[in-house]
Amino acid sequence: MSNKDDKLTRSEAGKKGGEAAAKSHDKDYYEKIGKKGGEATAKSHDKDHYEKIGKKGGEATADSHGDDFYEKNGEKGGEATAKSHDKDHYEKIGEKGGEATAKSHDKDFYEKIGKKGGEQRNK
């Protein structure tokens, strides 16, 4: 206890209350209040708010994790996606990506990547 009068600080009281709540509530309870809080937050914040907190969280994660973390997560996500999608899905997204790339790149771009691909093949 940090106060002279043997009173709990706000932080200590919050921790104590949180620990007590954790003992008396189950996962379902926390899911419900989390959903309720998320819905309330969504009503009071705009897209800009979520972009800012997403960027902040992404930067914090990048600062605390190395390349290995992202490689493992990417591999895990790729495996999960492969299990839930068939060849047709990949053909569709490949075509969509190709169309988007074609709109944003000119003939020079394709000549350069074609040359790079040919060089790699000849090694």
Side-chain angles (χ1 to χ4, degrees):
M1 294 193 204
S2 301
N3 287 343
K4 296 179 202 174
D5 302 326
D6 291 334
K7 292 182 180 178
L8 295 176
T9 65
R10 183 175 289 169
S11 175
E12 291 167 335
K15 182 178 179 184
K16 191 173 181 181
E19 289 170 348
K23 290 177 184 174
S24 62
H25 297 294
D26 62 2
K27 180 183 174 191
D28 187 51
Y29 167 80
Y30 287 102
E31 286 176 357
K32 285 178 184 174
I33 65 168
K35 183 177 181 184
K36 190 175 179 181
E39 289 169 352
T41 302
K43 288 178 183 174
S44 63
H45 292 83
D46 61 4
K47 181 182 172 191
D48 187 53
H49 167 77
Y50 288 101
E51 288 175 355
K52 286 178 185 173
I53 64 171
K55 183 177 181 189
K56 189 174 181 181
E59 289 171 352
T61 301
D63 289 345
S64 63
H65 294 82
D67 291 344
D68 190 47
F69 170 80
Y70 291 101
E71 288 172 12
K72 286 179 183 174
N73 278 341
E75 186 174 335
K76 191 175 179 181
E79 290 169 355
T81 303
K83 287 178 183 175
S84 63
H85 294 84
D86 61 4
K87 181 182 173 187
D88 187 50
H89 167 77
Y90 290 100
E91 288 175 357
K92 285 178 185 174
I93 64 170
E95 185 177 347
K96 193 174 183 180
E99 290 169 356
T101 302
K103 288 178 184 175
S104 62
H105 293 81
D106 61 7
K107 184 179 175 184
D108 278 350
F109 169 79
Y110 289 100
E111 288 175 357
K112 286 177 186 175
I113 64 168
K115 184 177 178 184
K116 277 185 181 179
E119 290 169 355
Q120 289 296 316
R121 192 172 278 158
N122 291 331
K123 283 185 177 183

